[in-house]
Amino acid sequence: MNRIQYFVTEYQGLWFVILQGRRHGPYPSQQAAIDEAVRGAQTVPGSEVLVKTADDQVRTVWTDDSDPECKSARASRPNEERRAAISPKRIELVY
């Protein structure tokens, strides 16, 4: 199964979610972008949310636990942070 990856990244002081090559946002904070990415990812089996840090590292902040592949990847990173919240904006999937 191919995973759908939601990337949260900052550009010129604003936060965006990159999904399948398309930029969604802007969001006023990193947390707001993460919350929206998680909200969208929760509707797609096998998805994950990643954050690009200031030093260009990528950190996983949420994975779909219903997918066995994601469960095993998450088990290998036990200190990983998970976040979920309701956000007023919604990411629309573009296929």
Side-chain angles (χ1 to χ4, degrees):
M1 172 191 300
N2 292 331
R3 287 191 205 166
I4 301 296
Q5 295 179 318
Y6 294 72
F7 288 94
V8 175
T9 187
E10 184 266 340
Y11 178 72
Q12 295 184 346
L14 296 171
W15 289 90
F16 295 89
V17 175
I18 309 298
L19 175 62
Q20 297 180 332
R22 298 201 55 188
R23 185 172 67 182
H24 301 268
Y27 300 94
S29 68
Q30 180 186 48
Q31 187 59 52
I34 289 171
D35 291 346
E36 188 57 31
V38 168
R39 183 177 167 94
Q42 288 174 329
T43 67
V44 182
S47 59
E48 61 186 353
V49 176
L50 304 115
V51 175
K52 184 176 178 185
T53 62
D55 58 355
D56 287 334
Q57 299 294 315
V58 176
R59 177 174 58 100
T60 303
V61 295
W62 187 89
T63 59
D64 174 21
D65 283 341
S66 69
D67 178 25
E69 184 178 330
C70 288
K71 277 185 185 178
S72 63
R74 180 152 166 65
S76 69
R77 297 182 300 251
N79 295 328
E80 191 174 289
E81 186 177 348
R82 290 180 51 114
R83 299 180 187 267
I86 297 173
S87 176
K89 292 183 180 180
R90 181 116 183 134
I91 294 175
E92 294 181 17
L93 297 176
V94 178
Y95 293 97

